[in-house]
Amino acid sequence: MSHNSFGHLFRFTSFGESHGPALGCVVDGCPPLIPLTEADIQGDLDRRKPGQSKYTTQRREPDQVKILSGVMVDEDGVQKTTGTPIGLMIENTDQRSKDYSEIKTRYRPGHADYTYDAKYGIRDYRGGGRSSARETAARVAAGAIARKVVAGMTIRGALVQMGPHKVDRDNWDWDQVGQNPFFCPDAGTAKRWADYLDGIRKQGSSVGAVIEVVAENVPAGLGAPVYGKLDGDLAAAMMSINAVKGVEIGNGFEAAAITGEENADEMRMGDDGKPVFLSNKAGGVLGGISSGEPVVVRFAVKPTSSILTPRQSVTREGDEVDVMTKGRHDPCVGIRAVPVGEAMMALVLADHFLRHRGQVGT
Amino acid sequence: MSHNSFGHLFRFTSFGESHGPALGCVVDGCPPLIPLTEADIQGDLDRRKPGQSKYTTQRREPDQVKILSGVMVDEDGVQKTTGTPIGLMIENTDQRSKDYSEIKTRYRPGHADYTYDAKYGIRDYRGGGRSSARETAARVAAGAIARKVVAGMTIRGALVQMGPHKVDRDNWDWDQVGQNPFFCPDAGTAKRWADYLDGIRKQGSSVGAVIEVVAENVPAGLGAPVYGKLDGDLAAAMMSINAVKGVEIGNGFEAAAITGEENADEMRMGDDGKPVFLSNKAGGVLGGISSGEPVVVRFAVKPTSSILTPRQSVTREGDEVDVMTKGRHDPCVGIRAVPVGEAMMALVLADHFLRHRGQVGT
Amino acid sequence: MSHNSFGHLFRFTSFGESHGPALGCVVDGCPPLIPLTEADIQGDLDRRKPGQSKYTTQRREPDQVKILSGVMVDEDGVQKTTGTPIGLMIENTDQRSKDYSEIKTRYRPGHADYTYDAKYGIRDYRGGGRSSARETAARVAAGAIARKVVAGMTIRGALVQMGPHKVDRDNWDWDQVGQNPFFCPDAGTAKRWADYLDGIRKQGSSVGAVIEVVAENVPAGLGAPVYGKLDGDLAAAMMSINAVKGVEIGNGFEAAAITGEENADEMRMGDDGKPVFLSNKAGGVLGGISSGEPVVVRFAVKPTSSILTPRQSVTREGDEVDVMTKGRHDPCVGIRAVPVGEAMMALVLADHFLRHRGQVGT
Amino acid sequence: MSHNSFGHLFRFTSFGESHGPALGCVVDGCPPLIPLTEADIQGDLDRRKPGQSKYTTQRREPDQVKILSGVMVDEDGVQKTTGTPIGLMIENTDQRSKDYSEIKTRYRPGHADYTYDAKYGIRDYRGGGRSSARETAARVAAGAIARKVVAGMTIRGALVQMGPHKVDRDNWDWDQVGQNPFFCPDAGTAKRWADYLDGIRKQGSSVGAVIEVVAENVPAGLGAPVYGKLDGDLAAAMMSINAVKGVEIGNGFEAAAITGEENADEMRMGDDGKPVFLSNKAGGVLGGISSGEPVVVRFAVKPTSSILTPRQSVTREGDEVDVMTKGRHDPCVGIRAVPVGEAMMALVLADHFLRHRGQVGT
């Protein structure tokens, strides 16, 4: 058991705070002989990186990853994993030497300030410390390696709701996701979101979001009932991301409102002699095991509590105060959660791929 | 790592299929000196037991629990836990000797039939085997012990939505929950649900539901960031229950649609010198750690796929067939998930209570 | 983490005390489609069973195992594992209804009486409770399943030292092991041990022993450095057996006394094109990974503390007393540890076989 | 499960090879509010550091540790643990840019070269890669933190046998351990070992050793039967150290040779009203739980296989060759294993201290 580890056979352990010297993780259990360079990881990190548009925090971190162990250049000059633990480190560079005295003893409402203090009797108040979303950089780095373990699968995420505004699913185009600052799969929606978020940003306000992550080409059979279910692990994975308050698989909460007839994914034989499903309300998971259909997960991210409007709060010493968070932050933290969600999906699938291979052998 | 274990310091491992000789679990890590008899466990099991109204499956199982180990009668004649593993067993008795040949090779759509077969190359087709909701009896039994570990907390669940029909929250009365066959906290809603579910049942149809579980008197400080977050473990716990497709903490998906101003739970000082929150949109968890507010979880249960209307499917051999599930089943499986959700809440809290005490010492 | 679980991918969790209704275990992670009946397990249990000769405790337990879950008769009528957890139960039958009042509050020196009480504040004094060697029946049952997972390997144990008397290794004959009540691989030694142990038994004394377990046909590559080393897990496995005080791999402590030249296992190419070792001082493990040579483990079992000679002790209440243990016990508990050691070897190898297959794929 | 993690509640995960950029570890689960600086860790690292006498490898590594996370300077200016994961890094500096082509494809007999290759199909041949004893620096660093968690305990180690030469126990003086290059508790023995090891070193040979580690002031009650026994975890801990082939608790293998009368540790009441033991043959552990007596562990280290005398071996390609290891190495690697053994003792005790507190509450 480790509070800061995730996964079992493919497992990573992260460390690091917002304002310490570095953050990073150790990826353990990675199969050997997988080509891996820092550039392979950097691509995913760059997608999560702050400061890339006016819609994300203006903290400027290069988020440059260093591989400290677990790889070896083979005789053909290709750097490959060796099967030993892969140490990854990302140095923190843009830690403004600002005065933190104001929030040192004030609990920002909606943040983890109070709960960390209640638990540990001490907290790193600089930039949120361990509760900062900077920790997700370690997930994205580990996830980039996980993707290579399940290289045959396609794992993609998109923002499907910003505040009350949902994406137009009829216009869904995965190619659009990289074309706008919102990971939005529809150009028209992206345009509307831009206007909306500009308003939010100028008011010093913030707004929530829903992210959808889809994994295709996942073979049937991954997942280990009953407490290692694929959807159980996905739920834990997504809920562990900062600010997430809800997780759905397939049609999710909608399933509660409909009948068995409406909810059934009927089956026929496919041209390749394998069963196919005529719909995918289940989101690719039945009884905790993948069905061969795309695995579909959605999660809700709350609006960041760092807003310009003063809110009532208290101090460590028990004084009642008003707190207004000035610093740098994201009007919609959900945006940068898209690559994080993809990473967590990859990490869960890689772990279950190895676990399944271990137990069943293929 | 164990596919069939849940928890860390307070941990249980379950076994058993729908139609084997028995199911049960081993509860490990339970503190010593806790008074515990079979009657303490039986009460919760009886609440989950099938066949108690026309709205649940007519399978009649006494679900009588036996304690096989881990307790000892002390010198005062009180049976107490000894700190060693508690073996629990529930014998299966009402296994109708019916002919299973029909579904032996047919995959019931929406069930785990196909995925178990795809994973293991063999499946126990009798009553769903390991994927049967009978496994949840083991959770409820373990949960009854967990409740005693966190005896100061109050853990209660209720059905808050049946099909499209939500409970009237203005009339919420916990005392009503035990007064109707739906665990409904409002008498008026319960009456409406009775009519609605009668219709569903007579059609041989089924319908989904949403369950809400609330834990009160949870001290601030439980939960272990970042991959052992209290809400992450709750999400895994609830999603691992049969037929669950979504999990929310606090306001859940609603948080995505609102602004930071609307979502903030402001703080003031309470009369007891401790901080209080003026609202609980966070559902009692901030940064993965309990805040002292009630911990609120909701989960969505899909309608059972066992319905009288024939659905298209395939056989193990690749033939296309229509499947109609006659057997005994629940028109709304969500109902019996209420005590299961409570049990999982208790199990997560007991584990985190011990984990916190281990690391922090109080 | 579970105090009463062993292994990772192939994992079992045991429960049960000496004088409770039953003991048993849950075997999780077993590959599917392995033929398995109760008879397969019973054979190994019978070898461990007490009361088979005058040299072991006269408690008479049939140690009849029941499989409660995890198997299914397939269409060919063969009962096979399904990949789901296998529940095993052994009922306790010969629990003499004797008066335990004498040792109820007295700590038997050398037993776990005092330490269990110091830890838990309560202890099951009937027959040693959880600290009784009866728990090893669960290991042997689980081990019988593990053997089937690594069916190509040959796992055998023998007693190689009884008190100060070592086996004559020049006469080692595995076929002799089943021919005498000591699991002794040499008929001549067995005869000498019989005389020696008769003397010990008649004095109401006891004596220690050393057991050696050898696994052949273990492929090179099993074991996971650095904290999941094959020899590290074997050391934990053997040390966890009741009364064990030392564990060695290969030449063990002898390696400390010799030079690098003497200790080297030189290598040549075998006829099959694979490297072979010219000696096996390493006991089949290098750097925590199997080398393809036989895996050789030895462990030392202390003499049971249950002897007729009175020893000084204290009571729970702090009174100084003399304790003499009358009951039924083993003059050389090490004898019955032989099948237990084999079981633990099988369990470690099965786990590492699956772990290796998970990570590396073959 | 993690191949490269050790411990449960107090847990560390190590990474790094002999010749990569850095090695290190993540320490998770550390209680908060413990004063901790790099200097606290450096002291133990310096004791393990190579190149401190002619009797250890001449590789010169400063082994300077950096704390990357998990600490915070509090308002009194004291740097303390925050309860979040502590990232530790030690950069490799003295990686001679020598030509490794000679051993690139040759398996050094007695090393892990062959087994790593057999397992992973790739190996880091530079300085032994992950199988290098450099990894133990991470253990020592983590162990220094563990010591602070169990600050009331005294954990000390000594070399008690070098080759065939045992220490004179009648002259045991802990203060001598720091006065000679062998961690020898007797000045006279140290002198004799110096002569002996000079001879070994000049021949380019090597020799084994036995280390004893003793923990005092360990409260009764630590350890979790039956698969989390204190001695089981100690056995795994010590066996996982490079080159270790045997582990004993208390009188260890000697217990096998004696009778129950001789082996009994009798009990009386101490002046403080607690039971005391009149001897400690058990080595402070009964039934897997600490007894309050000193916890005593011994482990045997084999002679390093890196010797000047050519030994027969094979290459990756299957050619038979002679291998002579020139590089820098230790004539008696057991010497530097002393602080490593202490670290592992501290790590096991810290973990069990937290585990016990979690389950039992004090």
Side-chain angles (χ1 to χ4, degrees), chain C residues 162-165 192-201 207, chain D residues 257 259:
Chain C
M162 179 187 287
H165 306 294
R192 286 187 292 277
W193 286 355
D195 291 343
Y196 170 71
L197 198 56
D198 258 336
I200 294 286
R201 187 174 59 84
V207 73
Chain D
T259 63

Side-chain angles (χ1 to χ4, degrees), chain B residues 17 30 37 41 48 67 69 78 107 136 143 154 162 177-178 188-189 192 214 216 219 247 280 290 333 336 352:
Chain B
E17 285 87 37
C30 186
T37 64
I41 301 170
R48 192 212 71 97
I67 300 180
S69 65
V78 182
Y107 300 131
T136 60
T154 303
M162 180 187 287
V177 166
T189 302
R192 286 187 291 279
V214 179
E216 290 168 288
V247 181
N280 186 23
S290 63
V333 281
R336 288 167 54 217
H352 275 284

